[in-house]
Amino acid sequence: MHARLAPLENGTLPQHTDGSTLAARLGKRYGKRITGVISVPGREGRFAPLPAALPEALAGALRGRGVTQLYSHQAQAWDAVQRGEHVAVVTPTASGKSLCYMLPVLAATMTSRAKALYLFPTKALAQDQVAELIELNRAGELGVKAFTFDGDTPGDARQAIRLHGDVVVSNPDMLHQAILPHHTKWAQFFENLRYIVIDEIHTYRGVFGSHVANVLRRLLRICDFYGVKPQFILCSATIGNPGEHAEALIGQPVTAITESGAPSGEKKVLLWNPPVVNPDLGIRASARSQSNRIARLAIKAGLKTLIFARSRLMVEVLTKYLKDVFDHDPRKPARIRAYRGGYLPTERRAAERAMRAGEVDGIVSTSALELGVDIGSLDVVVLNGYPGSVAGTWQRFGRAGRRQQAALGVLVASSDPLDQYLVRHPEFFEGAPPEHARIHADQALILLDHIRCAAFELPFRAGDRFGEEAAEPWLQVLAEDGVLHPENGRFEWIADSYPANAVSLRAVADGNFVVVDRTGGRQTIIAEVDFSAAPLTLYEGAIHMIQSVPYQVERLDWDGRKAYVTRTHVDYYTDAIDYTKLKVLEHFESAPAGRGDAHQGEVHVVRRVSGYKKIRYYSHENIGYGPVNLPDQELHTTAVWWQLPQRVLEAAFASRHEALDGFLGAAYALHIVATMAVMAEAQDLQKAVGSGDGAWFVSADGNGRGQLRGEGGRMEEVPEAAPFVPTVYLYDAFPGGMGLSDPLYQRRDEILAKAVSLVARCDCASGCPACVGPVLAADEGEATPPRVLAARVLDLLSAA
Amino acid sequence: MSALADKLRGLRRQAGTAAASPSRQAVAPEPSSALAQLHRLRRPSRPGASVLDREVAGRQIAPGLYLHEKHYDWPEHQPWLDAGFARLEPIETARLLYFDTETTGLAGGTGTRAFMIGAGDWCEGRLRLRQLLITTLGAERAMLAEFACWFDAHTALVSYNGKCYDAPLLATRYRLARMDNPLAGRTHVDLLHPVRRHWRKVWPNCRLATAEQRLLNVVREDDLPGSEAPAAWLGYLRGGSAHNLRRVGEHNAQDIVSLAGIAGYMSALPAQPEAAMP
């Protein structure tokens, strides 16, 4: 990404409006709200001729559709595939990535009846892909049979697809639950399998990605049984480590193609912070009001505009506001459309067609449009709130762009800490490469689940490996469980069960809670929550947000793993008061960190939720408490932690209490920047502050001040005689860890530097949810503010 | 046993797996493996007192593979089966192979196997029953090879729900063993479908036990329910008693005999016009 920070322009208004002139106009009228302007220069296309080895019918079909030459990255992909390499292509939106795999696949299918398996993360994308294949096939009479195979495929069609499909388009869940455990029915398909195409691999990260990597290990085991070594062609949107991520997924070396040859127009990106409407409390106008205003101006100026909202509800609200302006005459065709999950596929297809044909002037969408759905080119993209990652932000902005004229992207910040961090650090976009996608394929529980599934599919022999690991110890565990039977060095499946059904690719183990909506006598499952997150979010009385819609938890059936909720309309959210005890079990690595030191290792975590706070929106006032009575949560996981020696603290802080408040604030800031750095969801990474020897722990009360707890419960202060080594921990919130701690430890200098800058550059007076955590207004001006204390801790931990 | 096992147990508890679904991996009403181990350890020290009953029917024809054979007199044996009830041409009964498998479960997929294959054919006017039983997993290959020998170029199959269940399951086993599947491409009379067409609206259900009782007046005594067959075999495989496994054999034998009886009964039914068949 060639982004460059440019000064605000106040250009004159030209005749014709494009993204660039609109940016200038917005800058003139709303200069104070724009905290940063980023210019992305346009790029000429780089081309290559159609490969000579392409079958004539295929080349003819391409020419018939106006494709007379290839972009350079498509030609590179063709060459690498012909050399027999596994390939990962990184492609910006609308750069013609499907040709990268379509050409080698169709050529091989036509010349040697080779078969290909395509995996897409969603059914809609799979259908798009098959529609494209069928179109090309019809145009050139290529004789290639392509089918989707997913949960909607009728039973009587499945047999024909298994026997006759040249290209089978499916998804990882289907491969995991339906294809691999029945691989013998797919024998002809596997015996001729030449290519495995996996698109959108940037979505396969974290827990989901770790599962998918193991599903691929199982797939390769099956391929081995049928005597084939298929080649992988992988595609990814822009992420920081495409080649490395692709190699982690398939466990083999990959040739990464990262230079797009597709032309692109110039683009301006504005970072937009809503204006302050209540200076006393620092409350800003809503992101929604700003997005609505920007979109209105853009559409009035005749620019095709797309607004991304973070929830389905927000999509509907923004659509209504825009329709009130542009669609008040029901006799005219609609100029504004909504696009989100939950609509029927036919409805979505119709919306896509209307957008491609340019019949729509404004589209409001959730992330459902983020992935490769083709809707043609747009002039303006407005993000109503930060999508959660730099990579995701650029993917969405990628929707805007035409060859001839400049496009505009606007990121409107919400009041979330991450949004506020970003919009106040415009250089973040310039300096920060897109996030790395990470997986931890050897996570103990995930590995056990997939070795179980793999043993069902084909027996193991004692010396076999699964991925990198020797399988035997895991097989022994499964034999003890009674699902495998060891006999003469072989482990064979013996249980009357179908293990893939019990393994969800989106969770570690299957202790998940379901959230049941009982509003108005309904009984609808509306969400699933990880076991480890349940005590923090599903206690009775909790306000549980689903797509920004608040529900209140009425009853929690702990053993039945169900939370019953009803729709509510309160003006507060709830925050669990939990306190956490950590015990370090094993040190992996240590290094000096400023005047203290940093560590990573294995820890044992005990977490107890003792109650919750009700916090009013915007003002963040604490308006009440409630008790929670749940069993303790235990967790054996990995962590990274920092500590400062006692003498340093005694010299730097007036009291132990001040030092603790500083550590709490530092933990809050470190947690924000660390979450961003490793592309994690906020709840996947947790923080804790406590004594290095585990004697006591401290958590923030409603006022942003620390409360101590020791073995016997509440403590007033750390005894003077006891050693005082406060420690801030960041730990993986999954049993066994998900591989977040190691990258955090490796990047500890960068994380600390970012936390220092986050706290130093915040606009607040003494601390706020965007830096060191909420503080009570009444607390301001009294003693040393938490923000100053946190900054002191972070400075002491930074390299001198 | 291992440190890994202990660690995994801890992690699974923390992930909520253990409490949520204690029965997910339950296999059989079998004493815990530790207990089974105890049994095995104690057996030699108490010779004679309660020697475990490990006797299975038949003779061992390969390591871990037993063949049990039995002949039944059949008074009204017909040389032709009028297979019009199954919309097929008449078939010489000498070509017929009635078959039924006993399996390790109903889960389907590549993890389910047959531990017993029973088959009947006509031998000098009498019904010959042959049953293959494996007592080790390693013997499966020998069982599949032996079963394949019972086919000749003209063999036609008769089963009850075999088209959807037994035949695909055996196809999977042959594929996994990298052997040719002798069932592929055979004429296959699956009696379940014509029985359903005739009596679906008359009987409470169309299970084989119902059909044999209504059509042939067969009443089974001390029959081991089919659902208990997996546990019976698994118990034996893990060193337990053969008692229930022998009952599985008896159950399977009756299934084969009933197949022959029901096929004969259906064959003798007056032809129905197509239109009368719902």
Side-chain angles (χ1 to χ4, degrees):
Chain A
M1 195 58 56
H2 307 283
R4 179 161 54 76
L5 208 61
L8 275 181
E9 301 169 51
N10 280 323
T12 50
L13 224 150
Q15 303 288 338
H16 176 74
T17 303
D18 66 6
S20 173
T21 49
L22 179 65
R25 208 185 305 165
L26 289 170
K28 212 162 161 185
R29 267 171 82 175
Y30 303 106
K32 277 191 183 158
R33 302 180 191 179
I34 298 172
T35 60
V37 181
I38 298 164
S39 292
V40 184
R43 199 176 41 214
E44 294 294 317
R46 280 178 295 134
F47 303 91
L50 291 179
L54 221 51
E56 190 40 47
L58 178 53
L62 289 171
R63 284 192 207 101
R65 300 178 75 208
V67 180
T68 54
Q69 53 184 355
L70 296 182
Y71 295 137
S72 56
H73 63 281
Q74 294 167 335
Q76 278 178 297
W78 168 270
D79 291 341
V81 170
Q82 300 313 311
R83 289 193 301 267
E85 294 159 12
H86 302 300
V87 177
V89 189
V90 186
T91 52
T93 315
S95 60
K97 72 179 165 190
S98 60
L99 275 192
C100 294
Y101 47 79
M102 204 125 87
L103 297 186
V105 165
L106 290 177
T109 305
M110 292 166 62
T111 53
S112 60
R113 301 316 304 173
K115 308 230 177 199
L117 174 67
Y118 284 21
L119 298 176
F120 285 88
T122 66
K123 285 185 202 168
L125 286 173
Q127 276 153 12
D128 282 1
Q129 190 55 225
V130 167
E132 199 173 333
L133 276 165
I134 288 173
E135 208 176 303
L136 192 65
N137 188 41
R138 198 178 292 141
E141 293 177 5
L142 308 179
V144 174
K145 297 187 206 64
F147 301 100
T148 52
F149 188 83
D150 58 30
D152 299 340
T153 309
D156 48 358
R158 294 187 173 204
Q159 169 81 348
I161 293 171
R162 289 193 286 253
L163 293 179
H164 306 301
D166 297 314
V167 179
V168 173
V169 184
S170 191
N171 56 62
D173 300 276
M174 211 55 195
L175 183 61
H176 158 61
Q177 293 203 327
I179 298 178
L180 295 179
H182 282 285
H183 63 85
T184 52
K185 294 183 180 166
W186 292 83
Q188 287 100 319
F189 183 78
F190 280 116
E191 280 166 352
N192 296 294
L193 183 60
R194 172 92 61 90
Y195 293 113
I196 299 170
V197 173
I198 311 180
D199 204 346
E200 317 282 357
I201 62 165
H202 60 283
T203 60
Y204 302 134
R205 57 175 194 263
V207 174
F208 185 34
S210 307
H211 275 291
V212 170
N214 279 291
V215 172
L216 295 176
R217 288 169 170 177
R218 284 160 53 199
L219 172 61
L220 289 175
R221 243 179 125 235
I222 303 292
C223 287
D224 193 48
F225 177 79
Y226 291 102
V228 292
K229 290 198 187 312
Q231 241 177 298
F232 283 91
I233 307 174
L234 312 165
C235 293
S236 172
T238 305
I239 50 174
N241 59 339
E244 180 196 61
H245 180 54
E247 291 185 348
L249 271 178
I250 69 169
Q252 300 176 66
V254 163
T255 303
I257 295 169
T258 53
E259 285 294 312
S260 168
S264 65
E266 178 199 350
K267 189 177 299 171
K268 288 250 185 279
V269 167
L270 307 182
L271 304 185
W272 188 289
N273 209 2
V276 174
V277 291
N278 181 338
D280 290 341
L281 291 173
I283 297 174
R284 290 177 180 274
S286 69
R288 185 198 58 236
S289 66
Q290 305 296 299
S291 299
N292 183 32
R293 180 181 304 249
I294 297 162
R296 229 165 47 211
L297 287 170
I299 295 168
K300 278 192 176 146
L303 299 173
K304 301 277 183 205
T305 302
L306 166 61
I307 304 108
F308 276 109
R310 290 192 294 200
S311 72
R312 294 177 179 191
L313 178 69
M314 191 55 75
V315 164
E316 298 302 339
V317 170
L318 280 166
T319 306
K320 178 187 165 5
Y321 289 177
L322 290 174
K323 274 185 171 293
D324 286 348
V325 176
F326 296 104
D327 281 341
H328 40 74
D329 186 347
R331 288 164 300 181
K332 292 187 183 154
R335 297 176 64 189
I336 308 295
R337 284 194 90 134
Y339 185 100
R340 59 170 177 84
Y343 287 165
L344 294 175
T346 49
E347 216 172 333
R348 280 166 62 155
R349 294 292 98 77
E352 287 162 22
R353 267 197 309 277
M355 291 180 226
R356 269 198 299 272
E359 294 160 9
V360 177
D361 295 323
I363 309 141
V364 190
S365 174
T366 56
S367 61
L369 250 185
E370 170 191 1
L371 302 164
V373 180
D374 179 16
I375 52 159
S377 300
L378 297 158
D379 300 300
V380 178
V381 169
V382 179
L383 306 188
N384 185 63
Y386 176 56
S389 72
V390 173
T393 305
W394 284 113
Q395 281 155 32
R396 286 168 173 79
F397 281 148
R399 286 286 180 188
R402 295 179 189 261
R403 268 174 229 184
Q404 269 76 36
Q405 58 188 46
L408 172 67
V410 185
L411 168 58
V412 181
S414 78
S415 55
D416 282 2
L418 289 188
D419 286 44
Q420 288 298 318
Y421 172 76
L422 203 83
V423 84
R424 294 175 196 187
H425 297 74
E427 77 284 358
F428 189 88
F429 268 115
E430 192 191 26
E435 293 85 348
H436 288 216
R438 299 199 171 275
I439 59 169
H440 185 27
D442 290 334
Q443 207 280 350
L445 291 174
I446 293 178
L447 195 59
L448 182 68
D449 274 345
H450 288 279
I451 290 179
R452 187 189 299 117
C453 293
F456 178 91
E457 288 151 9
L458 286 172
F460 276 94
R461 278 177 300 266
D464 284 354
R465 305 187 83 77
F466 188 75
E468 301 294 305
E469 295 274 323
E472 190 163 349
W474 306 85
L475 300 171
Q476 298 282 5
V477 170
L478 294 169
E480 281 174 55
D481 279 357
V483 298
L484 298 188
H485 186 78
E487 186 185 288
N488 290 331
R490 280 165 71 91
F491 289 83
E492 306 234 22
W493 186 263
I494 202 67
D496 182 12
S497 59
Y498 190 89
N501 280 350
V503 176
S504 155
L505 298 188
R506 286 163 180 82
V508 175
D510 71 338
N512 285 2
F513 281 72
V514 291
V515 180
V516 183
D517 180 15
R518 290 205 292 203
T519 309
R522 289 193 296 163
Q523 281 281 351
T524 321
I525 293 178
I526 51 172
E528 229 177 280
V529 173
D530 268 3
F531 180 81
S532 46
L536 288 171
T537 55
L538 291 180
Y539 45 87
E540 289 171 9
I543 301 299
H544 189 69
M545 303 289 290
I546 294 165
Q547 307 261 14
S548 20
V549 177
Y551 292 84
Q552 184 152 38
V553 178
E554 293 193 322
R555 197 165 77 76
L556 179 64
D557 173 4
W558 184 263
D559 293 328
R561 303 282 191 261
K562 287 191 189 74
Y564 296 98
V565 302
T566 50
R567 183 84 172 76
T568 180
H569 296 276
V570 293
D571 65 342
Y572 64 89
Y573 61 94
T574 53
D575 193 10
I577 306 172
D578 65 320
Y579 81 98
T580 304
K581 268 175 58 178
L582 269 101
K583 200 169 96 193
V584 174
L585 299 175
E586 201 184 336
H587 257 91
F588 297 156
E589 276 181 279
S590 304
R595 312 214 20 216
D597 34 52
H599 309 262
Q600 76 154 320
E602 251 178 65
V603 294
H604 183 253
V605 182
V606 179
R607 195 163 58 186
R608 178 178 299 166
V609 178
S610 57
Y612 66 92
K613 298 172 278 198
K614 298 178 180 176
I615 299 173
R616 179 165 286 150
Y617 278 115
Y618 298 107
S619 69
H620 300 288
E621 284 170 89
N622 201 331
I623 54 172
Y625 291 90
V628 172
N629 195 359
L630 288 177
D632 284 359
Q633 299 303 298
E634 284 184 69
L635 198 61
H636 188 126
T637 183
T638 53
V640 48
W641 63 95
W642 289 267
Q643 40 192 214
L644 287 167
Q646 187 164 347
R647 55 185 165 72
V648 173
L649 292 173
E650 278 165 1
F653 291 93
S655 71
R656 288 185 166 190
H657 243 289
E658 278 199 0
L660 289 179
D661 286 349
F663 267 86
L664 278 177
Y668 192 95
L670 283 167
H671 183 246
I672 292 179
V673 295
T675 305
M676 303 258 280
V678 292
M679 224 171 172
E681 307 279 333
Q683 79 254 20
D684 295 350
L685 189 70
Q686 295 284 342
K687 57 181 189 288
V689 174
S691 170
D693 59 5
W696 47 262
F697 281 83
V698 58
S699 51
D701 66 9
N703 308 340
R705 297 286 177 174
Q707 282 187 342
L708 271 178
R709 279 174 190 273
E711 274 308 324
R714 278 289 289 274
M715 282 164 63
E716 280 314 310
E717 54 191 301
V718 181
E720 276 304 316
F724 185 65
V725 190
T727 307
V728 42
Y729 299 89
L730 297 178
Y731 62 91
D732 277 21
F734 290 106
M738 263 313 300
L740 297 179
S741 303
D742 186 53
L744 286 178
Y745 179 79
Q746 304 306 336
R747 295 166 67 183
R748 60 190 178 275
D749 293 342
E750 173 199 337
I751 307 277
L752 260 173
K754 282 192 172 146
V756 167
S757 127
L758 172 71
V759 174
R761 296 181 47 178
C762 192
D763 295 337
C764 68
S766 51
C768 75
C771 59
V772 299
V775 284
L776 259 198
D779 211 27
E780 291 181 8
E782 183 192 306
T784 319
R787 187 175 153 199
V788 173
L789 298 172
R792 206 175 290 166
V793 169
L794 291 169
D795 284 338
L796 289 170
L797 286 170
S798 299
Chain B
M1 50 148 282
S2 61
L4 178 69
D6 284 344
K7 184 182 168 193
L8 283 170
R9 249 188 288 283
L11 292 179
R12 283 152 101 180
R13 190 166 33 76
Q14 291 161 18
T17 312
S21 51
S23 62
R24 178 155 63 87
Q25 286 138 5
V27 184
E30 152 81 359
S32 74
S33 58
L35 210 59
Q37 208 170 19
L38 200 65
H39 271 293
R40 282 197 290 276
L41 286 174
R42 284 171 59 183
R43 218 172 344 131
S45 68
R46 298 170 61 200
S50 71
V51 174
L52 212 47
D53 170 7
R54 298 279 294 168
E55 182 86 21
V56 298
R59 63 194 164 88
Q60 190 164 200
I61 58 171
L65 176 63
Y66 288 79
L67 171 64
H68 175 57
E69 200 166 328
K70 198 174 168 186
H71 291 78
Y72 296 84
D73 291 325
W74 207 272
E76 311 123 46
H77 173 59
Q78 305 292 324
W80 287 87
L81 181 76
D82 179 351
F85 64 85
R87 296 164 182 166
L88 291 169
E89 296 296 306
I91 307 169
E92 260 182 290
T93 49
R95 287 173 56 198
L96 298 178
L97 189 68
Y98 308 90
F99 84 109
D100 184 41
T101 62
E102 302 301 328
T103 65
T104 55
L106 297 172
T110 45
T112 307
R113 74 184 73 224
F115 62 84
M116 177 181 281
I117 305 174
D121 57 3
W122 297 104
C123 210
E124 293 160 8
R126 297 207 301 167
L127 182 70
R128 172 175 66 171
L129 167 77
R130 287 179 288 181
Q131 286 175 315
L132 294 167
L133 167 71
I134 53 172
T135 58
T136 64
L137 294 168
E140 184 185 28
R141 213 185 150 75
M143 174 175 74
L144 295 174
E146 176 64 23
F147 184 54
C149 293
W150 298 356
F151 288 72
D152 66 27
H154 308 288
T155 302
L157 295 164
V158 182
S159 72
Y160 206 83
N161 197 27
K163 273 190 179 170
C164 287
Y165 188 73
D166 307 73
L169 187 139
L170 288 172
T172 287
R173 302 319 301 178
Y174 278 104
R175 174 68 73 170
L176 287 170
R178 300 183 195 280
M179 295 164 71
D180 286 334
N181 174 15
L183 291 79
R186 299 279 172 185
T187 300
H188 187 159
V189 183
D190 187 336
L191 295 171
L192 174 64
H193 306 287
V195 163
R196 269 209 192 126
R197 277 201 294 275
H198 275 88
W199 293 289
R200 183 181 46 197
K201 292 180 178 162
V202 187
W203 300 344
N205 62 58
C206 289
R207 292 206 304 263
L208 178 59
T210 309
E212 66 183 12
Q213 190 203 340
R214 303 274 177 142
L215 305 180
L216 311 174
N217 295 319
V218 171
V219 178
R220 301 196 187 205
E221 274 171 40
D222 189 34
D223 185 53
L224 186 80
S227 59
E228 288 178 28
W233 185 69
L234 200 52
Y236 180 83
L237 184 72
R238 289 180 176 156
S241 158
H243 176 69
N244 277 347
L245 190 52
R246 287 196 303 273
R247 293 172 66 202
V248 172
E250 288 154 19
H251 171 95
N252 178 265
Q254 180 60 57
D255 283 355
I256 302 291
V257 172
S258 292
L259 277 180
I262 293 169
Y265 185 99
M266 302 289 295
S267 173
L269 282 177
Q272 283 192 346
E274 271 298 303
M277 294 184 183

